[in-house]
Amino acid sequence: MPGAAPAARVAVARTSLPGNPLAASAARRFARAALADWSALDFPAVGRISDRVADEVVLLVSELVTNAVVHAGTAVEVSCALDVVSGDGEVPSVVVEVTDHHPTRFLRGEPHDEDDPGCAGHGLRLVAELAECWGTAYRRASKTVWFQLPVSSAEAAESGEAAESGGFVESAEGSLKDDTPRNGALKGGDDCLNGDSPGDDAYVVELLAPAPARVGARDADVDWIRAGALSFLAEASELLAGQFDEDLVTSLAAQLLVPRFADWSAVWLDTEGGPPRLAMVWHASESRIETLSRLLEKEPPELPATARGRAVPWPWPSDPAAYGPGGAALACRLIAGGRAVGTLLLGRAGLMRVPDEVAGLVEDFARRVALALASARQYTRQATISRVLQRGLLPSRLAKIPGVESAVVYEPTGGTSAGGDFYDIFPAGDGRWVFVLGDVCGNGPEAAVVTGLVRPWLRLLAREGYGVGAVLERLNRMLGEEAVEAAVEGAAEAVAAGVGLSVGGGVSRFLSLLYGELVPLGDGGVRCTLASAGHPLPLVVRPDGSVRTVAEPQILLGVVEDAAYDCETFELAPGETLVCVTDGVTEHRSGARQFDDGNGLASLLGDCAGLGAEDVAERIREAVHAFAVEPPDDDLAVLVLRAR
């Protein structure tokens, strides 16, 4: 049983059921058959199972299997065991585990009907009411819900003494290893899923002699550290690597420890200038988590500075309702790069002290958690800086052009990084409005630097009264001058550092740009003057669905210093739409094909006649993402202008 105290396993039955609606009835028959087979044997501990306990086992197994089938839709493994825990007397209990393999998927073809009691189970509520203890164990590919139902002391008294101890011990993998001849094995089954008669292999009941009572805590400690320490650390490293949310890291850390190496655990995160924050609490018995959280919030561990990253003994808390019976606890500061990021606390019931081997394992695990937390915090800081930078590179709002409806879609690569695509709409004076859509060669921070230079230059040149062609020519010269200055500075730094100068290094100053002016006309529509410098050519969509290309292709900005740029003027009539995109749209790939192959964009726009600007922009965005399984690997920007 996950998270349970060491116990002598007297008998166990296991079965695997397909994930279909008949699994619950099969599980009920399986549980009744297993309990009946045990009771029929001349084994003192087995004989203590009452009808009431059997009924409750069958009820809870049915509910948990129903939940697993409805919410997972995979095969379900069911284990039903009889355990005897040594104490003042032998206390037998029935332990059941129900495991599914994908805890978030609904069963295909079987809708979840909340009003159908045969479909919607009430498993966890019933488990919490009926079971002495219960919990959930999460693994990479499965989830196990377990519960324990004890046999009453009165029934135990009537049943006689327990069986003699045998030679079964628990292996490092958590399975049972047979060191003595087996008392016996009983096979039986019910192939009820197909409506057939009972078979021989539906489940297997194993009868196991109880393990000898352990003399001291040391043997338990050795079993504990044997239970897959190396594989545990490897799994922890894999799960924690690449996690960029510190709360997710703490959740994984706590649940990795429980129930395999602790009965409960908690993680505090250090805050800047404030008290530590209790980020995660987990207990093998989930009904205790809420009480445990309230108590831990009142008493965060304070470790001495000399502890650093060592796991040190911690007093077992006094409230058994939250923590469980007495045991041993460890606290460990989470240190990454010489800086503390939090504290890990865990406890294991039934131990006088935590052995050095286990303390070393906890320290290794804590280092992995600390590194994951430091990486997550660094990522969060960088993402925040990127968002702030992006807000500065793009306009806070777009100017409203009289008689024109506008819409923009903008998606930088990676979602949060500042990209090389940019856009703008602003008034230029004298009844003129300017629209801009640009794409710096490259992406990420280097491209963002150029974006930060170009946008204010464009606004300045437009408001100084320069026409469309003149703006592009002056911007082209400015980019050339900036590139020369960067090359000179780079050469000076290379000489000072005593290294060779690499040709073509530094930030790229190449830029594709679509730049245009709009002048509203008195009788409706607008006059548009635009030029394209190495940019995908804009398209005009007429009300009848026909699509035409406007402007002529010209050289990129920043390539030839004295390049001249021509512009084109046309009228955008009411109901016509001007669509401008970057190459993140036209060159988005699906295998060997690009989105704009065979005039793909024009074909899409032909079906957009009569749509508003926002609907057209969204239609393009959806089509780009649906074109390939992989998301776009370049910044994506769309600017749509529709004359009213």
Side-chain angles (χ1 to χ4, degrees):
M1 175 185 65
R9 181 145 289 185
V10 175
V12 60
R14 301 182 181 91
T15 189
S16 180
L17 304 171
N20 65 37
L22 296 178
S25 62
R28 291 193 294 270
R29 280 190 275 268
F30 157 73
R32 284 202 182 277
L35 296 178
D37 287 340
W38 294 344
S39 298
L41 296 170
D42 185 17
F43 203 82
V46 175
R48 299 176 185 179
I49 301 175
S50 68
D51 290 341
R52 177 186 60 79
V53 171
D55 290 341
E56 291 178 351
V57 168
V58 171
L59 172 63
L60 296 184
V61 166
S62 177
E63 290 295 329
L64 291 183
V65 169
T66 297
N67 282 356
V69 169
V70 170
H71 296 290
T74 67
V76 180
E77 278 74 45
V78 182
S79 169
C80 186
L82 187 70
D83 283 2
V84 177
V85 180
S86 297
D88 295 335
E90 290 186 337
V91 183
S93 60
V94 178
V95 179
V96 174
E97 301 175 11
V98 177
T99 302
D100 63 63
H101 299 281
H102 198 303
T104 58
R105 192 181 70 221
F106 283 90
L107 179 61
R108 293 182 179 177
E110 299 293 337
H112 185 166
D113 185 357
E114 295 289 349
D115 298 325
D116 181 2
C119 176
H122 305 284
L124 295 185
R125 282 182 289 176
L126 285 173
V127 169
E129 290 293 330
L130 298 179
E132 179 187 49
C133 59
W134 67 283
T136 308
Y138 293 91
R139 299 178 179 86
R140 279 181 297 178
S142 66
K143 179 189 71 178
T144 298
V145 181
W146 61 269
F147 66 85
Q148 179 177 0
L149 282 173
V151 178
S152 68
S153 58
E155 292 165 335
E158 296 172 359
S159 302
E161 298 299 326
E164 295 294 329
S165 296
F168 281 82
V169 297
E170 199 164 359
S171 70
E173 292 76 23
S175 60
L176 293 168
K177 179 182 177 183
D178 191 351
D179 287 341
T180 60
R182 188 177 302 275
N183 287 352
L186 177 64
K187 289 188 177 182
D190 186 356
D191 196 7
C192 59
L193 293 180
N194 298 319
D196 298 334
S197 59
D200 292 332
D201 299 318
Y203 66 87
V204 177
V205 178
E206 300 175 48
L207 300 182
L208 309 174
R214 287 170 176 168
V215 177
R218 183 65 184 177
D219 290 337
D221 298 338
V222 172
D223 284 349
W224 186 18
I225 193 61
R226 268 192 211 144
L230 292 178
S231 61
F232 166 74
L233 290 175
E235 179 183 354
S237 298
E238 180 181 349
L239 289 174
L240 294 172
Q243 300 297 340
F244 298 134
D245 184 301
E246 63 180 12
D247 287 329
L248 179 57
V249 171
T250 60
S251 177
L252 286 171
Q255 295 185 57
L256 280 166
L257 289 171
V258 178
R260 277 177 286 188
F261 293 97
D263 293 308
W264 56 267
S265 65
V267 181
W268 281 263
L269 294 179
D270 290 359
T271 60
E272 294 184 6
R277 174 174 68 91
L278 181 58
M280 184 62 187
V281 177
W282 198 247
H283 200 295
S285 180
E286 295 187 29
S287 59
R288 294 180 174 179
I289 292 176
E290 184 176 352
T291 304
L292 179 59
S293 298
R294 288 199 301 267
L295 293 175
L296 288 175
E297 284 179 338
K298 300 176 182 177
E299 46 189 46
E302 295 183 5
L303 275 66
T306 54
R308 298 298 292 164
R310 292 187 297 107
V312 298
W314 197 256
W316 186 266
S318 58
D319 191 337
Y323 297 91
L330 282 178
C332 185
R333 288 290 275 162
L334 302 172
I335 307 293
R339 299 185 60 182
V341 294
T343 304
L344 174 67
L345 182 64
L346 71 151
R348 172 99 173 179
L351 299 181
M352 296 297 295
R353 60 176 292 275
V354 178
D356 294 340
E357 297 94 331
V358 176
L361 172 65
V362 171
E363 291 170 1
D364 286 341
F365 176 72
R367 280 192 287 271
R368 288 162 169 78
V369 175
L371 289 172
L373 284 171
S375 297
R377 289 187 170 184
Q378 181 65 21
Y379 175 83
T380 300
R381 283 193 293 268
Q382 291 177 344
T384 301
I385 293 171
S386 179
R387 284 192 294 270
V388 172
L389 176 61
Q390 192 68 63
R391 286 196 295 268
L393 294 175
L394 298 175
S396 57
R397 63 182 182 86
L398 296 178
K400 293 185 178 180
I401 306 172
V404 176
E405 179 186 353
S406 62
V408 169
V409 168
Y410 178 73
E411 294 181 356
T413 305
T416 59
S417 62
D421 288 8
F422 63 95
Y423 60 90
D424 204 354
I425 299 177
F426 59 89
D430 300 327
R432 298 176 299 133
W433 275 262
V434 169
F435 66 92
V436 176
L437 186 62
D439 182 4
V440 180
C441 292
N443 50 40
E446 293 82 4
V449 170
V450 181
T451 302
L453 294 172
V454 169
R455 276 193 62 244
W457 284 348
L458 287 171
R459 287 194 170 218
L460 177 62
L461 292 170
R463 287 168 178 167
E464 287 293 319
Y466 290 102
V468 172
V471 167
L472 294 183
E473 291 167 4
R474 282 162 174 75
L475 179 60
N476 182 60
R477 286 199 294 269
M478 289 178 178
L479 288 172
E481 293 169 359
E482 194 72 22
V484 171
E485 291 178 4
V488 172
E489 292 175 1
E493 292 174 0
V495 171
V499 298
L501 178 63
S502 60
V503 178
V507 178
S508 170
R509 260 58 179 180
F510 298 154
L511 169 69
S512 74
L513 186 70
L514 189 64
Y515 180 89
E517 285 185 358
L518 295 176
V519 177
L521 302 176
D523 56 352
V526 293
R527 183 173 68 251
C528 179
T529 303
L530 60 78
S532 173
H535 202 83
L537 299 180
L539 300 173
V540 173
V541 185
R542 298 187 178 94
D544 62 1
S546 60
V547 179
R548 64 186 177 93
T549 303
V550 291
E552 295 293 332
Q554 300 179 81
I555 193 170
L556 284 168
L557 296 170
V559 177
V560 179
E561 185 176 352
D562 58 351
Y565 291 90
D566 298 324
C567 57
E568 177 180 332
T569 300
F570 60 93
E571 287 190 10
L572 196 64
E576 292 187 334
T577 302
L578 179 67
V579 178
C580 313
V581 301
T582 59
D583 59 10
V585 173
T586 57
E587 297 179 5
H588 181 42
R589 304 190 71 88
S590 176
R593 296 187 305 122
Q594 293 187 348
F595 181 79
D596 199 34
D597 285 351
N599 295 319
L601 179 58
S603 299
L604 172 67
L605 294 177
D607 296 329
C608 296
L611 297 180
E614 290 189 1
D615 291 335
V616 173
E618 180 61 19
R619 186 77 65 88
I620 296 171
R621 188 194 70 81
E622 291 176 353
V624 171
H625 283 281
F627 181 70
V629 175
E630 297 295 327
D633 58 1
D634 193 6
D635 303 330
L636 182 151
V638 179
L639 174 62
V640 179
L641 301 168
R642 183 174 186 269
R644 294 193 180 98

